[in-house]
Amino acid sequence: MSACHSCAAAARLFGSTLPSARRGITCGRTRIPVLGKLGTFETCSLKRIPLRNFSETPAYFASKDGASKDGSGDGNKKSVGEGGGKKSSSGSSGKGGNQLRCPKCGDLCTHVETFVSSTRFVKCEKCHHFFVVLSEADTKKSIIKEPESAAEAVKLAFQQKPPPPPKKIYNYLDKYVVGQCFAKKVLSVAVYNHYKRIYNNIPSNLRQQAEVEKQTSLTPRELLQIAGISPHGNALGASMQQQMNQQIPQEKRGGEVLDSANDDIKLEKSNILLLGPTGSGKTLLAQTLAKCLDVPFAICDCTTLTQAGYVGEDIESVIAKLLQDANYNIEKAQQGIVFLDEVDKIGSVPGIHQLRDVGGEGVQQGLLKLLEGTIVNVPEKNSRKLRGETVQVDTTNILFVASGAFNGLDRIISRRKNEKYLGFGTPSNLGKGRRAAAAADLANISGESDPQEDIEEKDRLLRHVEARDLIEFGMIPEFVGRLPVVVPLHSLDEKTLVRILTEPRNAVVPQYQALFSMDKCELNVTEDALKAIARLALDRKTGARGLRSIMEKLLLEPMFEVPNSDIVCVEVDKDVVEGKKEPGYIRAPTKDSSEEEYDSGVEEEGWPRQADAANH
């Protein structure tokens, strides 16, 4: 019985000491595996111990017997947050000092003596774990700002906001580009299918990997455990790596591919070639399309490209511009769209460069694998190619849209169809290549022919373009085969040019009206004057670009006379455009000299206000 009484007394003593210990401790809660069961204990530091204030710093830690039994990432995340809360509360409860608390057991950590005088390495004496304290500079270097991959970002973007349908893209292009209905339809469908292809081609294992990365991603400002000296010898990195390896399914390879019954369909891209006369809106379509896309879009010029090793831009600079538009995010750049402008200027010219055509055929050969899909070595940000600092970009999912004027291509089509040329007839000794085609086009132009008939003839022939016509123009067959969608753009007739002057969001006449309104003056252009301007632009054969040069020439004198004058309106009619008379001015009623001086001063002060009003 005495033994029983002593046991009961010991139990009472043990029970009385536990509550007192709990009353002297205040802290967060953590989960510690004890004898195979999860228990919840509240541990804390005594308030009498002086501590130093630290910012809130969550930490990852592993238990001595490895990961938790369920192996889930959620349990780890919870314990991390709770451990961080415990450390921050214990640190803030002190009154100053120079010591850290262990995020695992709550004991004091001592600094480890190293060869370098640094206080970054600390050790917990109780649980024998080493930690390293990261500064702000280390955090910027070591922790990735975007923990989720671009593939997962695309998936989330599809769930939050679906891609715009082709009709919506078409209506947006219609506000800025007049005509070219077929080209706008092709581009709208191509962009929509590009969104769908990006989403479909994300591998399923990559999606699950992104989810695991999200669960186990490290937060900025943390206390990292670099080694765990425990009886089982498990470090944090090893336990996390085991969990990630268990959860991420590996890609099928070898015999598994042969045995698998159903494979996922991988969507391939269809590159586009836009061809049409100069000034028909090819580059404007690309610039307008770039504003409304959620994927990186780069407009590149083919005239400066040369073969590797020669003076000029290398072919990799095309992908470098796309990488720059994606803010040097490689995975995001691999889902972009590249617009190759002036692609007809890299056509081969036979007879001049017998050995090597570095600016023509050599560039086409370098672009072959780029268009189809390969891994390109692109120089890193702020580095030259010679240093060898490159990043690898996969071009498999990048959509390429090429455009060019292909001047003289209609002559080649007409010769293939054995039709008589409009004009002087078929020249018998017409050579091959783009220069010969341009010379034939120039020889066909006569001063007596009607511009409208020439336009209709060209458009009719360009609608029948085939790959062999492009090959005869100077493009190599492999290059033409990698651009399966060929879209001819029609020439601009008189009605379309009149609409271009007034209808689009950024039309030419409203731009000049805004310029005059800054000087408190109106600009009125009659309907007959617009038609006369369109006819002049047709004669110049430069498309919509000829409209601005004609307007500049017409309005030079009014723009010289109007500022700081009493002119309130400028009128332009058909006779002014044809050069038969000067533009008409409407002047304000005359005022006294004192009022005039006063008005001119007010006008100069309020000039920025007038500019803002004109813009709106």
Side-chain angles (χ1 to χ4, degrees):
M1 287 295 289
S2 61
C4 293
H5 284 297
S6 62
C7 290
R12 281 195 300 273
L13 180 62
F14 186 68
S16 62
T17 53
L18 269 179
S20 64
R22 292 186 64 178
R23 279 193 299 271
I25 295 170
T26 58
C27 190
R29 185 181 300 169
T30 184
R31 221 187 278 177
I32 304 173
V34 180
L35 297 178
K37 295 182 180 179
L38 287 174
T40 304
F41 295 92
E42 291 188 1
T43 58
C44 183
S45 60
L46 297 174
K47 292 186 179 180
R48 294 193 299 271
I49 300 174
L51 296 174
R52 183 179 173 184
N53 287 320
F54 285 95
S55 59
E56 185 173 344
T57 310
Y60 274 98
F61 60 91
S63 58
K64 290 191 178 183
D65 55 348
S68 58
K69 288 187 178 181
D70 56 354
S72 64
D74 294 332
N76 281 341
K77 284 179 74 175
K78 189 172 182 182
S79 60
V80 168
E82 289 163 355
K86 176 182 66 178
K87 182 212 164 280
S88 61
S89 61
S90 63
S92 61
S93 63
K95 298 178 182 178
N98 58 353
Q99 289 185 331
L100 288 167
R101 292 256 159 203
C102 175
K104 180 171 172 55
C105 63
D107 249 25
L108 291 175
C109 292
T110 57
H111 293 288
V112 180
E113 294 295 331
T114 57
F115 293 107
V116 187
S117 59
S118 173
T119 58
R120 294 174 60 192
F121 300 99
V122 292
K123 177 187 177 185
C124 177
E125 297 291 346
K126 186 174 180 181
C127 54
H128 302 292
H129 280 75
F130 284 93
F131 301 93
V132 59
V133 183
L134 291 184
S135 63
E136 289 292 331
D138 296 323
T139 306
K140 289 177 184 176
K141 290 179 185 176
S142 61
I143 295 171
I144 303 171
K145 291 181 181 178
E146 297 180 3
E148 60 181 26
S149 64
E152 183 65 16
V154 170
K155 183 184 175 186
L156 291 175
F158 267 80
Q159 292 172 354
Q160 294 169 1
K161 184 182 177 184
K167 287 182 181 177
K168 194 172 181 181
I169 301 174
Y170 180 89
N171 292 334
Y172 173 77
L173 292 175
D174 226 5
K175 296 175 184 175
Y176 293 89
V177 184
V178 174
Q180 313 299 353
C181 300
F182 181 61
K184 287 190 278 193
K185 281 182 183 177
V186 171
L187 286 174
S188 304
V189 172
V191 168
Y192 183 68
N193 289 341
H194 180 69
Y195 279 107
K196 292 196 289 187
R197 183 175 61 253
I198 290 171
Y199 181 70
N200 183 78
N201 290 352
I202 301 171
S204 57
N205 61 342
L206 193 59
R207 296 178 194 174
Q208 296 184 18
Q209 179 182 358
E211 291 173 5
V212 173
E213 282 177 1
K214 252 206 220 164
Q215 293 174 359
T216 56
S217 59
L218 300 176
T219 53
R221 291 196 196 163
E222 64 218 70
L223 197 65
L224 283 179
Q225 178 179 358
I226 52 174
I229 304 175
S230 63
H232 300 280
N234 277 341
L236 170 72
S239 61
M240 285 176 63
Q241 192 64 37
Q242 288 171 5
Q243 290 177 19
M244 290 181 68
N245 290 340
Q246 289 171 5
Q247 295 188 22
I248 298 173
Q250 298 297 323
E251 190 179 353
K252 291 181 180 179
R253 290 188 177 276
E256 295 179 359
V257 178
L258 296 173
D259 296 336
S260 63
N262 52 347
D263 283 335
D264 294 335
I265 294 177
K266 189 169 184 181
L267 301 176
E268 294 183 353
K269 61 185 178 184
S270 299
N271 296 324
I272 302 170
L273 175 63
L274 305 175
L275 52 92
T278 177
S280 56
K282 299 182 295 294
T283 309
L284 181 63
L285 275 170
Q287 291 171 348
T288 310
L289 198 62
K291 298 175 188 174
C292 68
L293 293 184
D294 296 328
V295 293
F297 191 94
I299 299 176
C300 306
D301 194 9
C302 289
T303 54
T304 57
L305 298 180
T306 56
Q307 212 171 346
Y310 290 87
V311 175
E313 288 190 13
D314 288 333
I315 296 161
E316 290 82 11
S317 66
V318 170
I319 307 299
K321 288 179 182 176
L322 186 67
L323 198 61
Q324 184 179 1
D325 190 73
N327 201 14
Y328 293 91
N329 186 341
I330 297 173
E331 289 188 348
K332 197 174 176 184
Q334 289 176 168
Q335 302 162 355
I337 300 175
V338 173
F339 186 82
L340 298 172
D341 207 0
E342 307 292 350
V343 79
D344 58 320
K345 306 303 182 290
I346 58 173
S348 61
V349 181
I352 295 176
H353 306 284
Q354 293 291 338
L355 297 175
R356 181 165 292 179
D357 186 7
V358 296
E361 193 173 341
V363 179
Q364 293 184 51
Q365 293 168 357
L367 281 170
L368 290 181
K369 292 303 291 180
L370 198 72
L371 291 174
E372 193 172 17
T374 185
I375 294 176
V376 184
N377 290 321
V378 183
E380 276 186 351
K381 186 179 180 182
N382 300 329
S383 70
R384 292 181 64 86
K385 192 181 177 185
L386 300 176
R387 297 180 187 170
E389 301 168 355
T390 57
V391 294
Q392 291 188 331
V393 180
D394 188 6
T395 65
T396 307
N397 287 326
I398 297 177
L399 180 68
F400 289 90
V401 181
S403 83
F406 290 94
N407 193 18
L409 187 65
D410 55 322
R411 303 296 100 201
I412 296 173
I413 300 169
S414 178
R415 185 173 62 181
R416 172 173 61 83
K417 295 172 74 71
N418 291 323
E419 292 182 1
K420 187 175 182 295
Y421 285 119
L422 182 71
F424 293 105
T426 309
S428 58
N429 55 352
L430 183 64
K432 291 186 177 182
R434 61 184 174 93
R435 293 194 179 177
D441 189 49
L442 191 64
N444 181 62
I445 296 173
S446 63
E448 299 174 0
S449 63
D450 186 14
Q452 193 66 32
E453 291 181 11
D454 288 346
I455 285 172
E456 291 173 359
E457 180 75 10
K458 277 190 177 184
D459 291 345
R460 185 182 64 81
L461 290 171
L462 282 177
R463 280 197 290 268
H464 298 94
V465 66
E466 294 179 3
R468 49 184 169 175
D469 303 320
L470 296 170
I471 293 167
E472 191 174 346
F473 185 84
M475 318 304 285
I476 60 176
E478 301 94 323
F479 185 82
V480 177
R482 285 167 169 82
L483 297 166
V485 184
V486 180
V487 184
L489 276 77
H490 63 77
S491 303
L492 303 176
D493 54 5
E494 185 179 321
K495 290 182 181 178
T496 312
L497 288 172
V498 171
R499 291 177 60 199
I500 288 172
L501 281 169
T502 54
E503 284 186 15
R505 286 276 180 92
N506 203 25
V508 180
V509 173
Q511 288 183 33
Y512 285 102
Q513 287 175 341
L515 281 174
F516 278 100
S517 67
M518 292 181 191
D519 292 314
K520 295 182 179 179
C521 180
E522 293 181 9
L523 173 65
N524 293 330
V525 184
T526 62
E527 191 70 26
D528 293 335
L530 293 176
K531 291 179 181 178
I533 292 170
R535 279 194 294 274
L536 281 176
L538 276 179
D539 294 336
R540 295 193 178 192
K541 296 188 183 297
T542 53
R545 290 192 180 96
L547 296 172
R548 180 168 285 276
S549 61
I550 295 170
M551 291 292 292
E552 281 287 338
K553 186 178 178 182
L554 282 177
L555 299 176
L556 175 64
E557 199 66 31
M559 286 190 287
F560 181 77
E561 296 286 344
V562 164
N564 257 353
S565 70
D566 57 349
I567 299 173
V568 294
C569 184
V570 178
E571 292 184 346
V572 177
D573 56 9
K574 183 181 176 182
D575 293 336
V576 175
V577 176
E578 292 175 353
K580 295 178 181 178
K581 70 172 188 178
E582 293 293 321
Y585 301 119
I586 297 177
R587 299 180 181 272
T590 56
K591 295 181 181 180
D592 295 337
S593 59
S594 58
E595 290 180 4
E596 225 172 87
E597 290 174 5
Y598 176 75
D599 284 349
S600 64
V602 171
E603 184 178 346
E604 287 174 3
E605 288 176 3
W607 187 85
R609 223 173 292 125
Q610 292 292 329
D612 293 340
N615 286 334
H616 294 300

